[in-house]
Amino acid sequence: MLPKRKPQNRVPLVPVSVVIIVVSFMFLYYYYMMPSSSLNGLSKNMALHSGQCSSQALALGEKFVWYAPHSGFSNQLSEFKNAILMAGILNRTLIVPPILDHHAVALGSCPKFRVFDPNEIRISVWNHVIELMRERRYISIAEIIDVSSLVSKSLVRVIDLRDFVSIWCGISLDSACLNDSTLQSSVSETLKQCGSLIAGLRGSDNKCVHAIRNDCRTTVWIYDQGGGEDGTLDPFQPDEQLKKKKNLSYVRKRRDVFKSLGPGSKVESASLLAFGSLFSSPYKGSELYMDIRESPQDQRLQSLMREIKYLPFVPEIMSAGKEFARRTIKAPFLCAQLRLLDGQFKNHHKATFQGLRQSLESLRQKGSEQIHIFIMTDLPRDHWTGTYLGDLVNDAHNYKVYFLRDTDEVVRQAAVKLMAAGHGQRFITNSKTVAGKKYCSNPSLPDVLLYVEQAVCGCASLGFVGTSGSTIAENIELMRKYGSGYCRS
């Protein structure tokens, strides 16, 4: 009798149909879970590697302009206004950037002729954009500043940077949020190529990108309209002492932006026009970088310049400021904006407090009993002791002091409503593939404290005291002059 053989361990045969189903499921999972434009970008980025625009980008037939914002929010708002102006004059669609972290990107000093090269600023902005996306902190400036009236009146066309990148580079900025290690290398390389292209690091191309190398050291942009000023010397030039000390050879000339960059110029055919910084301010009888004035000859330009003098915050911010004034302060109040810690302001505490002290004394002389004061300041509440602010808090008989924290419910609710509103999603007509798109999942709530504080100050019926030289104070003054009607509505 033959002995029984032990059964062998065999791998059971899997039907071919089951294998096909599993493989198909995996493919469909990755196809739908990964942003479609990321897949396109990974498979169709040959144009990026060659430093050229994709055929998809050129087929749009749309001309774009973007710029490199920097420094704090108020400076970024000033540049945004200038960018709207440039887009309107050049008849290009403005690529709307995110709000950058305070001082994440710096320009330098135009008066000292010590600024970063436009290429350096552009790529620094791009790198910070990727950082904001990865950390899910990206928020467009058009989600904070209301440009709906400009768009509805056809004074400017805009597109969100995220949507521009999806169309133009064939890859979604959402891909920066992916945690899949097998894809990160390819994604990072494609995003790097896209950034190099739109920042102009690969040079200029007649049909693709024209990277503007002019900056405040050599150029003041004007809109001359045949006045004969184009090419003339600007009144502000480096003085002889600075030339010798820094070995400078810069000559600042006034350049007509329309003649240099508009229809009929050498760069007219470029799909993308890339500026560096667009920051400008008055200095020694001139402007540091842009000196574009209203002209009776151009009614559209006049309308645009009137509109951008004051751009309000979006309704969610304005409503939060009004709500705090009505439901928490509940009385006429004075607003004091006190910048005490940053830059030049940290050495001028006495002068800053003196302006507030004088305003309060004036109100006291008018017979006011307990004066209500709203304080917005960069000095943390824990550090008020021993300062004039601490004295005001302690003098509860004469003064009632109010302030906001980012944890306060009115601020948090403003951020929640802001995210739900999606104000940044403004699309050009032929970009239907991205309309209504949602970006990286589970984004962080934006920090809106600074904006809500300014909206509160706009409602201060007893007056406003701002820090001398602060651009935040200038923005609040504009709000109080042109937009305070929301407080009474």
Side-chain angles (χ1 to χ4, degrees):
M1 188 175 187
L2 293 174
K4 289 184 178 181
R5 289 192 295 181
K6 294 180 180 179
Q8 295 179 353
N9 293 325
R10 294 184 179 179
V11 178
L13 293 175
V14 180
V16 174
S17 60
V18 174
V19 175
I20 292 173
I21 290 171
V22 171
V23 171
S24 300
F25 174 78
M26 292 177 66
F27 173 79
L28 290 172
Y29 175 82
Y30 277 103
Y31 181 83
Y32 287 105
M33 293 302 291
M34 187 177 177
S36 60
S37 52
S38 297
L39 290 170
N40 292 338
L42 297 178
S43 60
K44 299 180 181 180
N45 58 14
M46 294 302 293
L48 295 181
H49 284 279
S50 64
Q52 298 175 349
C53 292
S54 66
S55 57
Q56 181 185 7
L58 294 176
L60 284 173
E62 191 84 24
K63 300 292 178 66
F64 301 94
V65 59
W66 87 290
Y67 66 103
H70 55 82
S71 306
F73 172 74
S74 295
N75 280 2
Q76 292 177 50
L77 175 56
S78 173
E79 287 187 89
F80 185 46
K81 292 179 180 181
N82 287 339
I84 291 171
L85 195 55
M86 287 295 201
I89 291 173
L90 299 173
N91 194 26
R92 286 178 174 262
T93 298
L94 175 62
I95 302 168
V96 179
I99 297 174
L100 275 56
D101 290 342
H102 194 68
H103 297 322
V105 179
L107 170 64
S109 172
C110 286
K112 295 180 180 178
F113 291 80
R114 188 178 67 240
V115 297
F116 288 103
D117 181 83
N119 276 4
E120 291 181 86
I121 298 176
R122 284 189 287 261
I123 199 62
S124 293
V125 169
W126 175 260
N127 291 337
H128 188 57
V129 165
I130 301 302
E131 177 186 340
L132 292 172
M133 289 297 293
R134 282 179 178 152
E135 296 177 0
R136 290 169 169 78
R137 296 189 299 111
Y138 187 113
I139 185 164
S140 163
I141 194 168
E143 290 176 88
I144 299 297
I145 298 299
D146 191 352
V147 295
S148 58
S149 66
L150 299 179
V151 175
S152 64
K153 295 175 183 176
S154 299
L155 292 173
V156 68
R157 301 186 306 276
V158 298
I159 182 172
D160 191 284
L161 174 62
R162 292 163 289 192
D163 299 315
F164 172 77
V165 169
S166 292
I167 298 167
W168 219 66
C169 292
I171 183 169
S172 172
L173 276 177
D174 277 4
S175 57
C177 305
L178 293 176
N179 294 321
D180 191 332
S181 58
T182 61
L183 296 172
Q184 281 180 349
S185 178
S186 297
V187 165
S188 295
E189 181 60 26
T190 305
L191 288 173
K192 181 180 178 181
Q193 296 292 337
C194 179
S196 295
L197 180 64
I198 70 175
L201 298 189
R202 297 172 177 270
S204 295
D205 178 276
N206 286 339
K207 291 185 178 179
C208 187
V209 181
H210 179 79
I212 296 169
R213 300 299 300 271
N214 308 64
D215 59 31
C216 61
R217 293 171 294 187
T218 61
T219 304
V220 177
W221 292 115
I222 61 172
Y223 186 36
D224 196 21
Q225 295 186 298
E229 200 178 354
D230 182 44
T232 61
L233 292 178
D234 187 71
F236 171 59
Q237 300 291 337
D239 59 38
E240 293 302 322
Q241 183 179 0
L242 186 61
K243 284 182 179 179
K244 290 179 181 178
K245 184 178 179 180
K246 299 294 184 180
N247 194 26
L248 300 180
S249 58
Y250 298 116
V251 176
R252 281 166 46 94
K253 290 189 177 181
R254 300 171 73 79
R255 298 289 186 191
D256 189 309
V257 65
F258 190 80
K259 288 181 183 177
S260 300
L261 307 173
S265 69
K266 293 180 180 179
V267 306
E268 175 189 8
S269 60
S271 178
L272 174 63
L273 197 60
F275 282 95
S277 166
L278 282 178
F279 178 74
S280 186
S281 64
Y283 189 77
K284 292 190 174 180
S286 183
E287 290 282 338
L288 289 177
Y289 190 51
M290 288 181 60
D291 192 9
I292 295 174
R293 305 167 187 175
E294 292 186 21
S295 170
Q297 303 171 33
D298 192 329
Q299 293 297 319
R300 184 172 175 274
L301 176 65
Q302 278 193 302
S303 296
L304 182 57
M305 293 189 75
R306 281 195 299 267
E307 291 281 342
I308 65 173
K309 275 183 181 178
Y310 166 65
L311 292 178
F313 291 111
V314 293
E316 292 75 16
I317 300 292
M318 303 298 272
S319 295
K322 181 172 69 173
E323 179 185 346
F324 184 80
R326 284 187 175 180
R327 296 188 179 181
T328 302
I329 302 178
K330 302 178 188 176
F333 67 98
L334 175 78
C335 171
Q337 179 266 337
L338 307 171
R339 194 168 176 183
L340 301 167
L341 297 182
D342 189 40
Q344 60 176 324
F345 305 104
K346 60 186 177 184
N347 298 320
H348 299 92
H349 286 200
K350 279 189 176 181
T352 302
F353 286 138
Q354 184 61 25
L356 175 57
R357 185 179 283 107
Q358 289 175 348
S359 294
L360 291 175
E361 288 175 358
S362 176
L363 288 172
R364 300 285 304 165
Q365 290 172 5
K366 292 178 181 177
S368 300
E369 295 182 358
Q370 189 185 48
I371 300 173
H372 296 252
I373 315 165
F374 176 72
I375 302 290
M376 63 174 294
T377 181
D378 52 358
L379 185 68
R381 176 65 183 85
D382 294 342
H383 296 174
W384 286 16
T385 303
T387 71
Y388 184 55
L389 292 180
D391 296 341
L392 292 176
V393 172
N394 292 332
D395 189 359
H397 176 72
N398 290 313
Y399 304 107
K400 177 68 173 175
V401 176
Y402 302 85
F403 58 93
L404 277 169
R405 291 190 175 100
D406 54 11
T407 54
D408 288 341
E409 186 63 15
V410 67
V411 177
R412 197 188 73 81
Q413 281 301 315
V416 170
K417 292 175 182 177
L418 198 67
M419 295 299 288
H423 293 291
Q425 298 184 27
R426 307 190 186 284
F427 312 103
I428 54 175
T429 54
N430 53 5
S431 61
K432 295 178 182 177
T433 55
V434 295
K437 175 178 173 54
K438 297 297 181 183
Y439 306 115
C440 292
S441 59
N442 302 318
S444 303
L445 284 180
D447 182 0
V448 299
L449 175 61
L450 174 66
Y451 321 130
V452 175
E453 287 179 324
Q454 292 182 55
V456 174
C457 286
C459 295
S461 57
L462 293 185
F464 170 69
V465 179
T467 302
S468 178
S470 168
T471 49
I472 294 174
E474 293 172 7
N475 290 340
I476 294 171
E477 292 284 14
L478 285 172
M479 183 188 303
R480 292 175 59 78
K481 182 176 181 180
Y482 295 106
S484 60
Y486 73 93
C487 299
R488 299 184 292 272
S489 61

